[in-house]
Amino acid sequence: MLTGKQTWQFSNSPVIESWGTSGGPFEAEGKLAADFDVLHDDLWMGQDSYEKAHRVLLEEAIHSALQKGEFQKEEIQFMLAGDLINQITPTSFAARTMAIPYFGLFGACSTSMEGLALASFIINYQGAKKVVTGASSHNAATEKQFRYPTEYGGQKPPTAQWTVTGAGAVVLTDNQDKQGKIVTTSATIGKVVDLGISDPFNMGGAMAPAAADTIISHLQDLHRHPSYYDLIVTGDLGRIGQATTYELLQQAGLEITREQFQDCGLLIYNEDQPVQSGGSGAGCSASVVYGHLLNHMKKGVYRKILVVATGALLSPLSFQQKETIPCIAHAVAIERN
Amino acid sequence: MGKKKNLTPVQQQYQQLEQKHEIKRPVWKNCLNAFWVGGLICAVGQAITYFYIYFFDFTEQTAGNPTVATMIFISMLLTGFGVYDHIGQFGGAGSAVPVTGFGNSVIAAAIEHRTEGFVLGVGGNMFKLAGSVILFGVFAAFIVALIKTLWTMMGVL
Amino acid sequence: MIQSVNPEPGAVALYEQKNKELAEKVEKDIQSFDAIYDVAVIKGKEETLVAYKVKHLKRFGMKKIEKDINKLLEDHYPNEDFVVSSDYKIFIETIELLERMKDPSFSEKKAEQQLQRVISLKKEMT
Amino acid sequence: MLPMFFWAFVIGGLISVFGQLMFDVVKLTPAHTMSLLVVIGAILDGFGLYEPLIDFAGAGATIPITSFGNSLVHGALQEAEQHGLVGVLTGMFEITSSGMSAAVIFGFIGALIFKPKG
């Protein structure tokens, strides 16, 4: 049901039945290694190209999500997923393997929540009984496309972020037994915001206004106080973007504490890992939310969280043509009954 | 940068706010690292030059060619074993400005696009980073040499 | 590797005593240049090879120094044919040849061959 | 010999610092910086200033990418002396060829034997 300007409330509370994640070697050294279902010690993952390895990541995340919920892929009606690579081929190729009717999504790093919002909507209105949704990114494949060859000795400034090699997927169902289950209750679809940042090595700074805009809209549409949520977690703002967003929220008069406001890009790695400003990529929010955070919710650490995945909608072409970076953020509220 | 004028007041205001949180590039530290990494690479180049002078029939003038080739060979090994990108992150321009950095940009692109095949991948992408250096080097050299030659011909010089 | 740098530079000539005098004179002339600290001269059958080292901080002006030397030699010895070089390689080769020529068993024919080799090195530029 | 190493280090280091300032202060991309440096090298040689620098600093001047611009001009001028204007075109790569061919050849060999490590 549309509430306010841009928010859906899901009265039928679609259930997040099971989840799965996969990650690369760098994530295996990170803070959340224990929350990954599959970890690779090689960036190639036994494939002969980074793009194929990228596809494998998503396949594994979906497989472990299906396995943990004891689902057969034939039972799943739709798959909604995306990534950052040209024409989202890794995801589409994974969809070919899965043979599940498929929506390819592109929302850059906001894809995970774009997928979860749409999947919840479909389930909520009986468009399907079981839907799988996810997102993934692969560090080397993404660097290759957006920046420089991985072996090139270009110096990254401290504002740069490290693309996460990882994938996360969830199975969403219309299960009527909601007791103790984790469900999605509402979603706010963001609009594209561009405040004129054009430095592709400062994604966090570019995305911060979009994140703030979506969070404020969400709370306004639902007339909620920030303290409703145990945790408001952004996708991949990194150090700079997160601090900026926090200040924007303060300026808007939201009472939100620093502890309550987290960022997946800052959660995933250890302090001593050379990731400059933090993690990023479509797989960042997907693997942290669909691994670490859902595990924590299951354990009861959190009851209500708002996930705000942010995406920078640029391409190497638009950057070279000196365009600024348009950004977007989608928020989904996840609660445990 | 010069584009600031075109920003709306809202954008300008935001960018001021964002600047506060932006982690500044450690310019002094970067320059110091660039200095000694770049200097060290050149000193290694000097050692290789002397090697060719002592053990082969190269003069100071002619030793430059084999030295450059040797440096690029070393650059290939460091790039291939995944070391050069780490040197680059540390040394910045210190490892990019010497000819080893030129080699690295060619070799890194060649290695990276091997998965797209030798003709379309390696062949087509080898110069995607170094191409601009070659273009502007050749074109600037052409203009400079042209002007100088014309002047000489007209007896100005 | 270092040892070949150390031998004293000097002047040597092939064939006749008057050639030796000429070589030593040339050496003195070159040494009068402030910027130069080592000179080696070998007088061959036709050409005279002059190799020298420039003080490091004066190396910016090496082209001019070479011109000056050439001019001086031309003025003082109009009938001689000089090959002048500040190249380090030429210098160490010249010193080496100088050393070997002190050995009486080193034949003049061989020395001339060596000299021509060094001169050809200098001529091969780029 | 020792002063040569010293000055190679210092001059090579200083040219690198110039590049670093282009990166960090002017905020140029590496490609823009390197292009600028070769153009500077070419212009310096046009004024006859690069050769003295090589005499002075040896590898400190021949190893940085600026020397690429210098040797392109040098090759062109050398050839132009002998063959007139056409030489500007034909002589361009006369001196630089070793760096270019080394980059192409080792680039290809690299692609044959290495995989990117990521």
Side-chain angles (χ1 to χ4, degrees):
Chain A
M1 183 182 70
L2 181 70
T3 310
K5 262 164 56 193
Q6 58 199 81
T7 302
W8 289 327
Q9 273 189 299
F10 304 124
S11 47
N12 293 331
S13 309
V15 174
I16 299 179
E17 206 76 53
S18 61
W19 48 90
T21 51
S22 59
F26 201 68
E27 289 62 36
E29 295 164 15
K31 244 189 288 191
L32 306 182
D35 285 305
F36 281 92
D37 297 309
V38 183
L39 279 172
H40 289 268
D41 52 8
D42 172 26
L43 212 47
W44 290 84
M45 297 159 199
Q47 303 296 311
D48 55 17
S49 79
Y50 283 143
E51 288 73 15
K52 286 182 191 168
H54 193 336
R55 185 203 75 216
V56 167
L57 269 178
L58 183 63
E59 285 174 4
E60 286 171 345
I62 294 176
H63 270 302
S64 40
L66 293 178
Q67 217 172 26
K68 283 199 273 179
E70 291 172 359
F71 295 109
Q72 297 302 313
K73 63 181 185 189
E74 289 74 21
E75 303 172 54
I76 311 290
Q77 275 97 35
F78 301 112
M79 164 175 166
L80 291 84
D83 61 70
L84 297 168
I85 303 304
N86 285 336
Q87 287 81 37
I88 57 168
T89 45
T91 307
S92 298
F93 288 6
R96 176 180 67 190
T97 323
M98 291 295 148
I100 303 171
Y102 158 69
F103 289 102
L105 306 178
F106 183 84
C109 314
S110 71
T111 305
S112 60
M113 288 307 116
E114 184 182 359
L116 188 62
L118 287 170
S120 304
F121 188 86
I122 293 171
I123 298 276
N124 192 58
Y125 291 102
Q126 290 87 42
K129 292 183 182 312
K130 295 182 182 73
V131 173
V132 63
T133 179
S136 60
S137 56
H138 185 287
N139 179 283
T142 310
E143 288 292 315
K144 175 177 175 178
Q145 173 168 345
F146 282 89
R147 298 188 189 97
Y148 298 113
T150 48
E151 295 308 324
Y152 177 61
Q155 191 175 36
K156 289 196 184 110
T159 52
Q161 289 175 252
W162 176 274
T163 306
V164 170
T165 303
V170 289
V171 179
L172 217 62
T173 70
D174 63 351
N175 192 344
Q176 292 307 310
D177 173 22
K178 316 277 185 202
Q179 193 54 44
K181 297 272 185 181
I182 297 168
V183 298
T184 57
T185 55
S186 60
T188 301
I189 307 302
K191 59 174 186 281
V192 175
V193 178
D194 183 348
L195 287 186
I197 303 268
S198 54
D199 179 4
F201 282 116
N202 186 12
M203 300 285 205
M207 294 190 296
D213 185 76
T214 300
I215 295 171
I216 294 166
S217 304
H218 176 83
L219 296 172
Q220 266 172 1
D221 283 351
L222 296 173
H223 304 290
R224 261 179 202 164
H225 190 267
S227 61
Y228 178 85
Y229 294 105
D230 300 326
L231 195 66
I232 295 177
V233 62
T234 50
D236 57 351
L237 290 175
R239 242 175 283 286
I240 299 162
Q242 214 230 2
T244 311
T245 308
Y246 187 69
E247 186 170 341
L248 288 172
L249 294 177
Q250 299 271 303
Q251 279 184 358
L254 291 188
E255 291 160 28
I256 180 168
T257 64
R258 213 73 179 78
E259 295 69 42
Q260 197 189 352
F261 189 56
Q262 299 282 338
D263 183 65
C264 297
L266 295 174
L267 288 171
I268 185 165
Y269 295 116
N270 277 316
E271 287 298 321
D272 57 352
Q273 282 180 295
V275 295
Q276 279 84 26
S277 205
S280 73
C284 180
S285 56
S287 60
V288 173
V289 176
Y290 297 162
H292 174 71
L293 289 176
L294 288 181
N295 289 345
H296 265 49
M297 288 186 85
K298 196 177 175 188
K299 278 185 240 157
V301 181
Y302 305 117
R303 284 203 42 162
K304 292 175 181 151
I305 68 169
L306 181 68
V307 182
V308 188
T310 47
L313 304 171
L314 83 169
S315 79
L317 205 68
S318 75
F319 154 66
Q320 284 166 9
Q321 293 174 346
K322 309 221 164 22
E323 297 267 1
T324 52
I325 305 173
C327 297
I328 195 162
H330 301 299
V332 178
I334 303 174
E335 301 181 22
R336 181 162 178 240
N337 280 339
Chain B
M1 282 184 245
K3 284 199 305 320
K4 282 259 153 68
K5 310 181 201 73
N6 305 334
L7 297 176
T8 64
V10 181
Q11 287 179 328
Q12 283 178 7
Q13 201 187 356
Y14 170 67
Q15 295 203 356
Q16 271 173 12
L17 184 144
E18 193 271 339
Q19 286 288 320
K20 274 196 305 188
H21 297 285
E22 204 169 306
I23 305 161
K24 294 286 168 286
R25 299 181 191 210
V27 178
W28 285 111
K29 200 184 110 205
N30 281 353
C31 283
L32 188 72
N33 287 343
F35 180 74
W36 78 259
V37 171
L40 193 68
I41 292 174
C42 291
V44 169
Q46 190 64 52
I48 295 172
T49 305
Y50 278 131
F51 169 80
Y52 280 111
I53 289 176
Y54 277 112
F55 297 107
F56 298 90
D57 276 348
F58 286 105
T59 60
E60 261 183 284
Q61 290 264 345
T62 54
N65 282 338
T67 303
V68 165
T70 310
M71 294 295 277
I72 292 179
F73 177 74
I74 295 172
S75 175
M76 174 189 85
L77 295 181
L78 291 177
T79 307
F81 288 115
V83 180
Y84 209 90
D85 53 334
H86 296 291
I87 301 176
Q89 179 60 32
F90 177 78
S95 60
V97 169
V99 73
T100 45
F102 176 79
N104 168 251
S105 69
V106 172
I107 295 153
I111 294 176
E112 183 89 351
H113 289 281
R114 181 197 168 150
T115 49
E116 285 84 72
F118 286 114
V119 176
L120 299 177
V122 177
N125 289 294
M126 193 177 233
F127 286 105
K128 75 173 186 180
L129 291 165
S132 57
V133 170
I134 296 169
L135 164 63
F136 286 100
V138 168
F139 195 70
F142 176 72
I143 298 291
V144 168
L146 193 67
I147 292 173
K148 242 191 141 170
T149 309
L150 285 174
W151 276 3
T152 320
M153 283 174 136
M154 292 187 300
V156 181
L157 284 175
Chain C
M1 181 163 163
I2 310 290
Q3 111 271 343
S4 56
V5 194
N6 289 330
E8 276 292 291
V12 170
L14 297 167
Y15 314 110
E16 289 162 40
Q17 186 58 31
K18 85 167 199 287
N19 279 350
K20 180 148 173 73
E21 278 161 24
L22 176 99
E24 275 165 2
K25 232 177 117 208
V26 169
E27 194 198 349
K28 279 216 182 73
D29 279 345
I30 307 287
Q31 263 166 353
S32 69
F33 279 85
D34 237 10
I36 290 171
Y37 68 95
D38 266 356
V39 193
V41 181
I42 297 179
K43 169 85 181 86
K45 209 182 208 165
E46 273 152 24
E47 300 100 333
T48 307
L49 177 63
V50 180
Y52 60 93
K53 287 209 277 187
V54 178
K55 285 178 187 158
H56 204 97
L57 291 171
K58 299 277 160 92
R59 284 180 71 99
F60 275 117
M62 253 160 63
K63 292 271 149 23
K64 191 176 171 295
I65 292 167
E66 190 171 332
K67 242 190 226 161
D68 291 348
I69 291 176
N70 270 319
K71 195 169 172 303
L72 180 136
L73 291 175
E74 228 167 87
D75 289 351
H76 287 205
Y77 317 93
N79 298 324
E80 296 295 327
D81 188 4
F82 288 103
V83 177
V84 173
S85 175
S86 60
D87 198 285
Y88 189 59
K89 175 69 174 178
I90 307 295
F91 188 83
I92 54 177
E93 291 279 329
T94 309
I95 296 285
E96 202 184 304
L97 182 56
L98 246 146
E99 281 300 297
R100 290 172 71 183
M101 283 164 73
K102 285 180 185 156
D103 179 359
S105 65
F106 190 62
S107 78
E108 285 201 349
K109 205 177 146 219
K110 262 193 180 160
E112 180 65 29
Q113 264 177 8
Q114 275 297 313
L115 184 66
Q116 288 307 322
R117 196 181 72 86
V118 179
I119 290 173
S120 75
L121 269 182
K122 141 86 190 171
K123 289 196 171 143
E124 166 201 334
M125 275 309 164
T126 68
Chain D
M1 204 165 129
L2 268 182
M4 203 54 153
F5 276 105
F6 176 76
W7 288 111
F9 183 90
V10 170
I11 298 296
L14 285 178
I15 297 175
S16 300
V17 168
F18 178 80
Q20 189 70 41
L21 290 174
M22 292 296 119
F23 283 3
D24 283 350
V25 179
V26 191
K27 301 258 163 84
L28 294 182
T29 66
H32 282 88
T33 307
M34 297 309 135
S35 303
L36 181 69
L37 282 169
V38 277
V39 172
I40 290 175
I43 293 172
L44 283 180
D45 195 45
F47 288 108
L49 296 173
Y50 209 84
E51 282 297 300
L53 191 67
I54 294 178
D55 285 339
F56 179 70
T62 57
I63 294 297
I65 197 75
T66 37
S67 83
F68 183 63
N70 159 67
S71 41
L72 285 168
V73 173
H74 234 67
L77 286 178
Q78 231 173 50
E79 197 83 352
E81 246 170 54
Q82 295 168 13
H83 305 293
L85 267 189
V86 196
V88 173
L89 273 181
T90 54
M92 194 76 84
F93 282 95
E94 198 100 313
I95 304 178
T96 335
S97 51
S98 79
M100 288 291 298
S101 42
V104 172
I105 290 162
F106 293 135
F108 189 60
I109 294 175
L112 287 173
I113 56 178
F114 291 115
K115 269 169 123 185
K117 299 268 180 296

